[in-house]
């Protein structure tokens, strides 16, 4: 008996890396997995063979249930068809895992509009494109006691800001906001929504060393170590966990704090004057910011 027996999951970007590790573990735990991957290069421009088909054969040869799907999740209609065809073939959808992504790294003062648009389109819009039809399906079921799951993928680049990845950082932080919104909106339909911030040695980190994944021990950061937290979130045991960001690196899993005010200052009169607000903000805010853990990118 596997933790995910009888569950149906879509994993985007599952041809390799983190998505591939998630799909393998899901299948080993008993889920029927739709392996979505367009077989594109890291920048999304060239085709890189058919890794999704290779993974599906691997899963099937091991006795698991899997189907390949080559939909481009940056295309709204293609993503809708991905969700609808999964439901049609397997009779339902329990879990949606959004991993697919590309990189177009450049400093903000050198970035072209298309480099910005391409990354936002695949990461942030891609998450919306798959969540939209899945959420509509689950809303139509109207089962508040269901155990449906959305598992999004953010990044430390979004949570802390990576200097050479303004497009990627913006998209990944946008995914956090999308996660919070869906967690609130979909809870009454039996859906939990969480985001994983992974650190693993993949082809993305090979070309994005500034993400903080390189350095001592990087060779031990197998994407297989990112998969267990995703499998747990996909299970029925995780029903209490909703609207959170979880960081996974190596053999460690951490819970990020939710944004909340740390300290507040107030004007004593009807409006602030610049001298007063500057003095109060520095007195109240600076001790906290000075004592905060160091940002790995600053």
């Amino acid at each position: 008996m596997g933790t995910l027996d009888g569950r149906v999951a879509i994993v985007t970007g599952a041809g390799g890396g983190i998505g591939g590790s998630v799909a393998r573990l899901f299948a080993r735990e008993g889920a029927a997995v739709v392996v979505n991957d367009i077989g594109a290069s890291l920048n999304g421009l060239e085709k890189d063979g058919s890794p999704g088909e290779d993974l599906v054969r691997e899963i099937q040869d091991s006795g698991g249930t899997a189907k390949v799907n080559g939909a481009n999740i940056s295309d709204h209609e293609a993503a809708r068809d991905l969700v609808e065809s999964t439901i049609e073939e397997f009779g339902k959808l329990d879990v949606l895992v959004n991993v697919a992504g590309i990189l177009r790294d450049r400093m903000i003062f050198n970035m072209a509009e298309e480099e910005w648009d391409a990354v936002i389109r695949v990461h942030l819009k891609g998450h919306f494109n798959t969540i939209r039809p899945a959420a509509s399906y689950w809303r139509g079921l109207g089962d508040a006691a269901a155990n449906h799951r959305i598992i999004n993928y953010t990044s430390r680049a979004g949570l802390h800001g990576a200097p050479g990845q303004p497009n990627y950082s913006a998209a990944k932080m946008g995914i956090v906001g999308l996660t919070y919104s869906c967690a609130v909106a979909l809870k009454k339909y039996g859906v939990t929504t969480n985001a994983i911030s992974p650190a693993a040695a993949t082809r993305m980190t090979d070309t994005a060393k500034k993400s903080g994944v390189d350095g001592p021990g990087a060779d031990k950061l197998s994407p297989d170590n990112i998969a267990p937290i995703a499998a747990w979130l996909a299970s029925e045991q995780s029903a209490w966990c909703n609207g959170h960001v979880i960081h996974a690196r190596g053999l460690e899993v951490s819970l990020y704090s939710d944004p909340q005010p740390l300290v507040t200052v107030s004007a004593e009169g009807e409006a602030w004057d610049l001298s007063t607000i500057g003095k109060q903000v520095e007195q109240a805010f600076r001790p906290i910011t000075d004592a905060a853990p160091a940002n790995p990118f600053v």
Side-chain angles (χ1 to χ4, degrees), residues 26-40:
F26 277 27
R28 286 201 301 270
E29 288 297 317
V33 183
V34 175
V35 174
N36 168 254
D37 200 288
I38 64 172

Side-chain angles (χ1 to χ4, degrees), residues 190-256:
V191 183
T192 65
T193 311
N194 295 283
I196 296 174
S197 169
T202 69
R203 65 177 184 167
M204 274 197 172
T205 58
D206 287 342
T207 61
K209 297 298 184 183
K210 61 282 212 180
S211 65
V213 179
D214 61 319
D219 57 333
K220 299 178 182 179
L221 295 179
S222 167
D224 290 345
N225 289 327
I226 307 300
I229 185 61
W232 178 78
L233 285 172
S235 73
E236 295 187 0
Q237 286 71 32
S238 69
W240 61 269
C241 186
N242 187 35
H244 297 293
V245 176
I246 298 172
H247 180 63
R249 175 188 174 99
L251 302 180
E252 295 181 346
V253 176
S254 307
L255 177 67
Y256 262 77

Side-chain angles (χ1 to χ4, degrees), residues 72 105 189 220 252 257 267 279 285:
N72 183 346
D105 291 356
Y189 304 114
K220 299 178 182 179
E252 295 181 346
S257 60
K279 183 181 299 184
F285 291 11

